[in-house]
Amino acid sequence: MNLRAFIKLSRIEHGVLTSLIVVASYIIAGGRSAIAMALLFLASLLTEIFLFATNDIFNVEEDRVNRPDAPIVSGEVSIREAWALSLLSVVIAVLLNVLGIAMRYLMDWSIVILALAIFLGFFYNYGLKRVIIVNNVLVAITSSLTFLYGLYAVSSIPPTLNLPYLLFIVSFLATMGRELVKGALDVAGDARAGVKTMANVYGIRTAVIMAVAFTLLAVAVSPLIIISSRGFPGIILSIGVVITDAMLLYISIVVLTRPNYMSRFRTLALGAMSITIIAYLLFALLLIL
């Protein structure tokens, strides 16, 4: 497997961003150990590689229609190579977390969050992606657990409601909206592979309306983040949330009136969420400076 094929299969850029979010939550929760940050970063990155690789392994039929340039479909990576990469990644990820707990750099609850992300993500890839609504919920939970992983690495008991929890809730709602639109865009490939989505069972219009509803719920909850991050450097996170909300409101209105806007909705929704994520990372960085 060459480097180009590895990057395409593992979607390593997503893994790096996910790992940075985990480290940010760790810092915001009060963690300051550089070793703990390194362990969390690597465990998160390797878990993402595992999930993306197994997704491609079990997603070949859909990818033949929706992603013909996917590395397994195009022949750049064999199934055997993909399995080797995914299994090696997840084993090392778990071992790093266990090592961190044994050395008391990470709290016990961190392995619970990591295991939850691994199992939910894997069983989504294995077959639950074909179950209507369950598929969207699993993606939204798994991707949003990044905000909790670093948080639970600091606390020996489940923490009370705070910024990472609020980001988890908003991320879950916004991701649900984005995933529903993704299903509307991938109707042909999903139907061919037996994947049931709101779009191919109840119609594209229904899926879009539900997507907008979840997106607007995310916007409605987001002011709690602003309330919880008052003062400096919290103002940076608040500005990021306001910009994100404005973008999400705009694309929600437009997608209801322009059916051909779904592709842009999906792209701009990710861009909007990225603004809050960047602000979250800057917030964490300023806390340690």
Side-chain angles (χ1 to χ4, degrees), residues 218-264:
V219 173
V221 174
S222 65
L224 293 175
I225 298 173
I226 297 173
I227 294 170
S228 299
S229 56
R230 288 175 296 181
F232 184 82
I235 187 66
I236 293 174
L237 179 56
S238 297
I239 292 171
V241 170
V242 170
I243 295 172
T244 297
D245 284 351
M247 291 179 65
L248 292 178
L249 283 171
Y250 173 77
I251 62 176
S252 294
I253 293 169
V254 175
V255 79
L256 287 174
T257 57
R258 291 165 52 185
N260 61 349
Y261 197 78
M262 289 188 299
S263 181
R264 292 199 67 188

Side-chain angles (χ1 to χ4, degrees), residues 46-74:
L46 291 166
T47 298
E48 285 289 290
I49 291 173
F50 164 73
L51 293 177
F52 277 120
T54 52
N55 181 71
D56 276 21
I57 291 169
F58 294 117
N59 212 44
V60 173
E61 285 304 312
E62 295 97 311
D63 285 344
R64 291 191 196 281
V65 177
N66 298 328
R67 291 176 61 228
D69 62 337
I72 294 177
V73 174
S74 66

Side-chain angles (χ1 to χ4, degrees), residues 17-124:
L17 180 59
T18 293
S19 301
L20 289 174
I21 294 170
V22 170
V23 171
S25 287
Y26 172 79
I27 294 168
I28 288 169
R32 292 296 183 269
S33 168
I35 294 176
M37 293 181 203
L39 290 170
L40 289 169
F41 183 93
L42 291 173
S44 302
L45 179 61
L46 291 166
T47 298
E48 285 289 290
I49 291 173
F50 164 73
L51 293 177
F52 277 120
T54 52
N55 181 71
D56 276 21
I57 291 169
F58 294 117
N59 212 44
V60 173
E61 285 304 312
E62 295 97 311
D63 285 344
R64 291 191 196 281
V65 177
N66 298 328
R67 291 176 61 228
D69 62 337
I72 294 177
V73 174
S74 66
E76 293 179 87
V77 179
S78 68
I79 293 289
R80 183 175 180 179
E81 288 175 324
W83 270 120
L85 174 66
S86 63
L87 293 176
L88 180 63
S89 297
V90 74
V91 168
I92 296 176
V94 172
L95 288 176
L96 287 173
N97 200 132
V98 171
L99 177 64
I101 292 172
M103 298 176 67
R104 305 314 301 167
Y105 287 112
L106 305 177
M107 294 296 101
D108 297 347
W109 274 95
S110 61
I111 193 67
V112 175
I113 302 298
L114 182 66
L116 185 61
I118 290 170
F119 282 108
L120 290 181
F122 177 78
F123 284 110
Y124 165 84

Side-chain angles (χ1 to χ4, degrees), residues 135-154:
N135 41 25
N136 302 135
V137 171
L138 287 180
V139 171
I141 291 176
T142 305
S143 62
S144 302
L145 280 174
T146 53
F147 292 102
L148 300 186
Y149 184 33
L151 172 65
Y152 276 65
V154 178

Side-chain angles (χ1 to χ4, degrees), residues 124-255:
Y124 165 84
N125 291 338
Y126 180 72
L128 291 178
K129 72 177 74 173
R130 292 174 171 79
V131 182
I132 189 170
I133 287 297
V134 172
N135 41 25
N136 302 135
V137 171
L138 287 180
V139 171
I141 291 176
T142 305
S143 62
S144 302
L145 280 174
T146 53
F147 292 102
L148 300 186
Y149 184 33
L151 172 65
Y152 276 65
V154 178
S155 178
S156 58
I157 59 174
T160 56
L161 188 67
N162 55 18
L163 270 177
Y165 267 118
L166 292 172
L167 267 294
F168 169 82
I169 294 167
V170 171
S171 173
F172 169 82
L173 294 170
T175 304
M176 279 292 293
R178 188 168 176 270
E179 284 298 305
L180 285 162
V181 169
K182 179 180 181 294
L185 289 168
D186 294 343
V187 165
D190 289 341
R192 175 178 172 178
V195 176
K196 292 184 178 180
T197 64
M198 287 300 300
N200 63 27
V201 174
Y202 295 104
I204 291 175
R205 182 66 178 174
T206 300
V208 169
I209 291 172
M210 286 188 64
V212 170
F214 275 105
T215 303
L216 294 180
L217 274 174
V219 173
V221 174
S222 65
L224 293 175
I225 298 173
I226 297 173
I227 294 170
S228 299
S229 56
R230 288 175 296 181
F232 184 82
I235 187 66
I236 293 174
L237 179 56
S238 297
I239 292 171
V241 170
V242 170
I243 295 172
T244 297
D245 284 351
M247 291 179 65
L248 292 178
L249 283 171
Y250 173 77
I251 62 176
S252 294
I253 293 169
V254 175
V255 79

